Amino acid sequence: MFRRASRSLRTPFLHPRASFATRALGRLPNSQSPIVSQPHFFNSVTGSNEQIPAFRLLDGTGVPIEGADLPEIDEAFARKLYENMQLLPNLDNILYNVQRQGKISFYMTAYGEEATIVGSAAALEDNDEVLGQYREMGVLLWRGFGLDNVMAQCFGNHEDTSGKGRQMPVHFGSPKHHFHTISSPLATQIPQAAGVAYALRRTPDRSNSVAACFFGEGAASEGDFHAGLLLASTIPSPVVFIARNNGFAISTPSSEQYYGDGIASRGPGYGIDTIRVDGNDVLAVLTAVREARARSLDQGRAVLVECMSYRVGHHSTSDDSFAYRARSEVDDRKRIDNPLVRFRLYMESRGWWNAEAEEELKSRLKADVLKAFKHAETQSRCELSELFTDIYGGEEPWNIKEQREDLARLLKKYGEDWEPWRVELQKFKNKGQELSTK
Amino acid sequence: MTTNTLRSLSGSLSRAGTTATKTRISVSVRRRNATTATQTNPAASVEPPPAGGHLPSIAQSTFLKQTRDQALKTVGIKWADTELDEARGHQSSALGSGRETRKMNTYQAIRDALSIALATDDSAIVFGEDVAFGGVFRCTLGLAEEYGRERVFNTPLTEQGVVGFGIGYASMGMDGRTGKGGTAIAEIQFADYIWPAFDQLMNEASKFRYRSGGNFDVGGLTVRCPTMAVGHGGLYHSQSPEGFFLGMSGIKVVIPRSPLQAKGLLLASIRDPNPVVFMEPKVLYRSAVEQVPTSDYVLPLSSAETLVSGSDLTVVTYGTSVYRCEQAMHLLNNPPEKGAVGSNIRDAVKDWANHPAIKSNGKGKSPSIELIDLRTILPYDLPSVLQSVQRTGRLLVVHEGPVTGGVGMQLAGEIGKRAFLNLDAPVKVVGGWDTPGVALQYEKFYIPDEIRILDAMLEVLAY
């Protein structure tokens, strides 16, 4: 169903009138632009008044749409997809409430975007380098990161392998799972993805890997978005850019985020293959990202995938989205266009799933999540001395050393007496002893 | 010394210089208005000064190594092959006998360092705006031809993109055996244009190791950028932004003073396990010429160098200002026969010699000044500065960057805290004024020149 674009020959879109004029009037000396004799303004990458089409395979009730060419997947793979999708809301439900109880400081749910995240993860190879924004925990879980690591990071305890409790919840990272550590600033990962992919190209044994870079439609307004796509197309580097267009950047609707035809319209501006896909259709996302990955490797250049979805949850636990959108709008979207229901209905139609399996899965996932949560909740933080490690590689500068000693001195002096410190020290492994007894 | 004599000092480069001048003009034209054509006036018969400018006094500097012997005896120099010999358990010729040196200006020395970095590390790449043809300051001349366009290449005009790309590249373990990240040597065309990349440096590069608990680092990243004033750069080709990096823990900032220093410090920066912003004083690209060892060597980071030993006043500086301080010291020791400058100096020295405290100290008749090149701005070598000030009791810091929020005030605070009882005078900082930048026609009165430095020296000594 996809036409494989050749590496060097890409048919540029030509207006019918323009192609006629080309023969008559020739071309510009420093570009391939044909000459036309009439002013030709344009404001579309499709060449018509239609918006960029969105690729879909399953309708809202899980029935393949007319002409759909479903990817060949077996029951085991379908179950893996569904279980991973279903894991996200189960995890979100508990961690959202845990945050509300004040046990963790912050959380971001993925409600409504399960198909986009899990479908992409499934389309990638497990050693493709992932540079996420912050809502891509599902990719890590797909790769076997595990619930204990998720919980440890969210609680920032001493088992946090992502960052020793230095970052807010959901800032995961794992070299083993080829998942670069999340940082809060938006879009900074986008030009980095170009550099990562260029490194892959230049590393023996990694030339079959791509960088997969996730970001929201809001982040695509940042300068780093444009820098990143420009570099990954110009230098060129095999990056699959995956825009999660979920309709909102915190409270700002996408209609106020851009005036053009979404994020996809920008791809051709950078000369890269681009597709818009129904982000609530996991099979469509799977197919589109697989094809994007293949093109990216084949061309050695960036490819852009825009996944159209809807953020059912609030932006984060610091946000109440009903301040800027109606509860009924969210309920409607959940009912009419639910990525989980859509795929479940498809699986049921194949005889791969039923109510019993659903029940079993939900109670199993809930139990797994609760078990991990209960373990993480009781763990202490790292040693307090980790405050001063991992700043510089090699020799430690005098100021870091001196400031650590200064804190140690203060702990010795006030640590047991000053209530706010005494209480806080109890949360750390060794209770700050490694500093204050030195 | 005329422009032409200086150019002949840099050997066979007069031809390259002409081309470079033309190109650099077109670069600044593009900067101002990206849509205008890059025309130069073919009728102009007088060649404009190179964009890097000239600082004639540098040619007489005693800090530049005029002979092979001087160059090979450079303090703190570490030969790469010696390290290899030691690793292999061989006896090594530590003094560098039998090594070659060549006369180089700063851009040639930087080019030499980049070439060595590319030759000794397959993962190394050199990239940035206009890098492939040799760079607007010629620092990458011929590297693309020598090492291929895959490793030495142009980027589009996007500073945040250039640094972000470098961070991504350096974050990848490219060496299967050591897991060492890629070596990314990025060029920002002028320090004045580093601001779009400030977010990538501050929020990404500096925190990369810390935020990942040591899982990831970008130690292989080096960001080179030309810095400081040249006489005609105005607001946007003269900035000295190093002060803004003082709060960027996790990053190192290095500023060399000469060709030999630039080569050794750049190679050390490239190989350091931390991201480094390497700022090259652009007036030194052509004006500073010295004998530079041709082999692979490094000079230590976070290590200040005492250029002149003295007992009465510590002067700390870096980059171009090193030579202005040298000139000021020369004036102090050789006051002009006539005029206000000479009489001021003679009066001040007389007062100094008659000062009861000085007399009782048994110090010399004329003040003796200790000059320190800080070299690394972050993390800077406070112990060396402190040790010196504890001996001299007086501190003057000189730099081109603005006084407020600058390196001078940082040092003044630390020294005031640690050497309060050793100080005989308040710490003095001479820097650029706190105007929003280096105003074009006013530059002579913005940059601390010899006379401002001299005046500050006399003031601190007289306290």
Side-chain angles (χ1 to χ4, degrees):
Chain A
M1 63 193 290
F2 286 100
R3 184 173 46 83
R4 178 65 54 92
S6 124
R7 184 181 294 246
S8 53
L9 289 172
R10 215 175 15 239
T11 321
F13 159 70
L14 290 180
H15 193 277
R17 236 177 358 171
S19 67
F20 169 74
T22 302
R23 287 190 295 274
L25 301 172
R27 289 177 186 274
L28 283 177
N30 55 351
S31 89
Q32 288 302 305
S33 274
I35 304 288
V36 294
S37 57
Q38 296 297 311
H40 174 64
F41 288 86
F42 61 97
N43 187 0
S44 166
V45 293
T46 62
S48 71
N49 290 329
E50 289 269 352
Q51 288 207 328
I52 296 167
F55 166 61
R56 169 187 279 181
L57 292 173
L58 300 177
D59 71 13
T61 61
V63 177
I65 64 171
E66 199 187 327
D69 223 345
L70 296 190
E72 281 183 23
I73 57 168
D74 60 15
E75 180 179 347
F77 189 78
R79 277 176 171 265
K80 192 181 174 192
L81 277 177
Y82 185 68
E83 292 194 6
N84 271 272
M85 285 168 69
Q86 194 57 264
L87 175 57
L88 295 180
N90 275 279
L91 195 46
D92 285 351
N93 288 342
I94 287 172
L95 283 173
Y96 188 83
N97 286 319
V98 163
Q99 193 278 336
R100 281 296 181 246
Q101 293 161 19
K103 289 179 179 168
I104 61 175
S105 57
F106 175 85
Y107 191 67
M108 301 183 101
T109 64
Y111 294 128
E113 295 178 65
E114 296 89 349
T116 293
I117 296 162
V118 175
S120 306
L124 298 170
E125 291 295 324
D126 283 356
N127 65 348
D128 285 338
E129 300 292 326
V130 171
L131 293 95
Q133 181 160 296
Y134 45 56
R135 222 183 285 280
E136 294 86 8
M137 178 174 66
V139 179
L140 266 173
L141 290 167
W142 176 269
R143 292 181 175 189
F145 185 63
L147 290 172
D148 283 332
N149 277 329
V150 166
M151 288 293 172
Q153 198 284 328
C154 288
F155 277 87
N157 66 31
H158 71 97
E159 292 177 348
D160 170 18
T161 55
S162 293
K164 300 187 181 173
R166 292 183 183 131
Q167 291 213 74
M168 288 168 80
V170 310
H171 290 57
F172 305 105
S174 171
K176 187 180 153 200
H177 298 97
H178 301 274
F179 194 95
H180 293 234
T181 310
I182 301 296
S183 69
S184 306
L186 291 179
T188 47
Q189 75 275 19
I190 303 176
Q192 289 173 17
V196 164
Y198 199 71
L200 287 174
R201 252 182 53 164
R202 297 206 61 238
T203 309
D205 327 329
R206 293 305 304 274
S207 54
N208 283 321
S209 294
V210 300
C213 181
F214 291 86
F215 50 88
E217 88 286 353
S221 298
E222 294 280 1
D224 273 353
F225 164 85
H226 301 279
L229 268 75
L230 181 62
L231 289 176
S233 62
T234 309
I235 289 198
S237 322
V239 188
V240 178
F241 289 110
I242 302 171
R244 293 183 292 96
N245 189 337
N246 67 13
F248 291 94
I250 303 189
S251 75
T252 304
S254 56
S255 60
E256 293 172 35
Q257 192 67 239
Y258 49 75
Y259 182 63
D261 188 359
I263 309 306
S265 63
R266 300 173 195 175
Y270 295 109
I272 60 175
D273 288 359
T274 303
I275 187 170
R276 175 174 288 161
V277 57
D278 178 349
N280 283 358
D281 178 351
V282 70
L283 293 186
V285 174
L286 175 74
T287 306
V289 176
R290 267 185 185 165
E291 176 62 21
R293 187 182 180 281
R295 284 178 183 236
S296 181
L297 276 179
D298 181 41
Q299 301 168 10
R301 207 176 288 272
V303 175
L304 173 62
V305 181
E306 183 182 24
C307 298
M308 306 305 287
S309 182
Y310 184 82
R311 198 194 75 211
V312 170
H314 306 300
H315 163 71
S316 72
T317 47
S318 309
D319 174 44
D320 172 14
S321 67
F322 299 132
Y324 50 82
R325 61 180 184 181
R327 191 182 288 268
S328 59
E329 175 193 325
V330 178
D331 288 343
D332 283 354
R333 285 297 293 257
K334 253 165 47 178
R335 196 164 36 79
I336 300 165
D337 192 16
N338 184 317
L340 288 156
V341 171
R342 201 195 291 201
F343 192 53
R344 185 169 72 228
L345 291 173
Y346 170 73
M347 286 181 60
E348 284 177 6
S349 75
R350 296 290 302 261
W352 292 344
W353 202 252
N354 54 35
E356 202 182 318
E358 180 78 3
E359 212 42 55
E360 185 277 328
L361 175 67
K362 280 186 175 166
S363 54
R364 172 159 55 86
L365 292 179
K366 195 175 174 189
D368 290 349
V369 172
L370 279 173
K371 187 173 163 233
F373 157 66
K374 280 178 181 149
H375 172 77
E377 192 185 24
T378 58
Q379 300 303 309
S380 65
R381 296 178 185 173
C382 286
E383 291 185 354
L384 181 55
S385 55
E386 295 285 6
L387 174 62
F388 292 106
T389 62
D390 305 321
I391 300 168
Y392 284 99
E395 200 185 328
E396 183 176 58
W398 57 268
N399 55 326
I400 305 296
K401 185 167 177 283
E402 200 177 277
Q403 288 166 19
R404 186 182 50 240
E405 285 163 3
D406 207 24
L407 176 62
R409 177 186 65 80
L410 290 163
L411 286 176
K412 242 182 255 179
K413 206 167 168 184
Y414 304 112
E416 290 179 10
D417 204 40
W418 180 243
E419 193 60 9
W421 283 16
R422 201 188 59 78
V423 173
E424 195 74 355
L425 282 172
Q426 302 307 309
K427 300 173 186 169
F428 289 85
K429 195 172 167 182
N430 294 335
K431 303 177 173 53
Q433 292 293 311
E434 79 282 358
L435 280 176
S436 56
T437 55
K438 251 183 208 168
Chain B
M1 183 162 288
T2 65
T3 301
N4 285 338
T5 348
L6 267 168
R7 184 156 289 144
S8 69
L9 272 179
S10 53
S12 63
L13 284 143
S14 52
R15 199 167 153 265
T18 317
T19 334
T21 304
K22 225 186 267 174
T23 316
R24 279 195 300 271
I25 290 167
S26 75
V27 165
S28 23
V29 168
R30 188 181 63 210
R31 277 293 179 192
R32 284 194 296 271
N33 185 346
T35 56
T36 53
T38 55
Q39 291 168 345
T40 49
N41 181 5
S45 56
V46 182
E47 200 179 300
H54 282 309
L55 196 65
S57 59
I58 295 174
Q60 285 105 41
S61 173
T62 58
F63 302 148
L64 295 167
K65 313 290 185 192
Q66 300 303 336
T67 67
R68 173 177 165 277
D69 204 39
Q70 284 176 339
L72 296 180
K73 283 181 181 153
T74 297
V75 180
I77 201 163
K78 235 175 152 179
W79 308 102
D81 50 3
T82 308
E83 277 183 12
L84 278 179
D85 282 350
E86 280 167 5
R88 291 175 189 135
H90 296 167
Q91 201 72 12
S92 60
S93 51
L95 281 174
S97 54
R99 292 179 193 281
E100 294 300 315
T101 63
R102 214 173 62 228
K103 205 174 191 181
M104 295 185 205
N105 64 22
T106 309
Y107 78 67
Q108 292 166 323
I110 286 166
R111 192 244 178 242
D112 196 33
L114 293 174
S115 178
I116 288 173
L118 287 160
T120 54
D121 175 357
D122 286 339
S123 83
I125 54 172
V126 173
F127 57 98
E129 296 157 17
D130 303 302
V131 156
F133 91 105
V136 298
F137 288 109
R138 323 307 282 153
C139 294
T140 52
L141 206 64
L143 292 178
E145 290 77 6
E146 201 171 330
Y147 296 97
R149 289 293 282 259
E150 185 192 308
R151 300 182 65 198
V152 182
F153 50 89
N154 289 335
T155 64
L157 281 155
T158 166
E159 287 77 13
Q160 64 207 84
V162 168
V163 174
F165 184 93
I167 289 172
Y169 189 85
S171 74
M172 291 294 295
M174 292 181 69
D175 184 326
R177 281 174 299 113
T178 63
K180 184 186 155 298
T183 298
I185 308 167
E187 177 177 313
I188 298 293
Q189 204 159 71
F190 287 86
D192 308 64
Y193 305 130
I194 205 165
W195 307 115
F198 206 71
D199 185 44
Q200 284 286 349
L201 290 166
M202 182 69 186
N203 277 329
E204 298 293 318
S206 85
K207 295 173 173 62
F208 224 83
R209 186 192 304 273
Y210 193 67
R211 77 184 188 203
S212 68
N215 282 335
F216 292 94
D217 72 79
V218 291
L221 174 70
T222 304
V223 180
R224 297 176 40 244
C225 57
T227 187
M228 302 190 187
V230 299
H232 55 258
L235 297 179
Y236 301 109
H237 296 83
S238 310
Q239 291 177 53
S240 299
E242 66 276 5
F244 284 87
F245 290 85
L246 285 172
M248 206 181 267
S249 214
I251 294 263
K252 292 189 178 180
V253 179
V254 177
I255 304 182
R257 69 165 184 275
S258 77
L260 186 152
Q261 293 284 315
K263 179 177 171 182
L265 290 171
L266 180 54
L267 279 167
S269 299
I270 290 168
R271 292 163 182 170
D272 190 81
N274 298 285
V276 179
V277 176
F278 191 83
M279 298 181 176
E280 301 160 3
K282 52 187 171 288
V283 79
L284 305 183
Y285 278 138
R286 286 163 182 278
S287 302
V289 180
E290 69 182 329
Q291 290 292 331
V292 178
T294 51
S295 50
D296 185 348
Y297 67 90
V298 294
L299 290 167
L301 301 187
S302 289
S303 170
E305 184 182 356
T306 304
L307 298 178
V308 179
S309 296
S311 55
D312 303 324
L313 165 65
T314 302
V315 177
V316 175
T317 188
Y318 49 88
T320 316
S321 295
V322 165
Y323 301 98
R324 299 195 186 101
C325 289
E326 186 187 23
Q327 288 291 308
M329 287 162 71
H330 183 76
L331 269 178
L332 180 64
N333 294 327
N334 307 279
E337 303 258 323
K338 288 176 190 165
V341 175
S343 59
N344 267 312
I345 296 171
R346 276 186 295 274
D347 289 351
V349 171
K350 206 182 293 166
D351 288 350
W352 163 268
N354 292 329
H355 197 290
I358 302 303
K359 274 187 169 170
S360 67
N361 268 352
K363 294 198 177 184
K365 273 191 174 172
S366 67
S368 121
I369 292 177
E370 179 145 304
L371 182 63
I372 295 180
D373 177 5
L374 196 60
R375 300 199 287 189
T376 296
I377 304 303
L378 188 74
Y380 55 91
D381 183 1
L382 183 69
S384 291
V385 177
L386 180 63
Q387 187 272 338
S388 171
V389 176
Q390 280 168 338
R391 263 191 302 106
T392 64
R394 289 177 164 85
L395 173 64
L396 166 66
V397 189
V398 181
H399 50 64
E400 291 189 15
V403 169
T404 300
V407 174
M409 285 306 179
Q410 176 66 29
L411 281 172
E414 289 293 350
I415 293 300
K417 189 170 89 183
R418 291 156 204 269
F420 184 67
L421 294 176
N422 304 101
L423 285 174
D424 296 324
V427 177
K428 172 95 182 166
V429 178
V430 175
W433 309 118
D434 290 333
T435 57
V438 185
L440 181 68
Q441 307 290 30
Y442 309 82
E443 186 179 311
K444 185 56 93 187
F445 298 98
Y446 178 95
I447 301 296
D449 67 350
E450 292 86 327
I451 200 69
R452 268 178 72 192
I453 298 168
L454 174 76
D455 185 72
M457 286 172 171
L458 298 180
E459 182 189 318
V460 179
L461 286 166
Y463 189 87

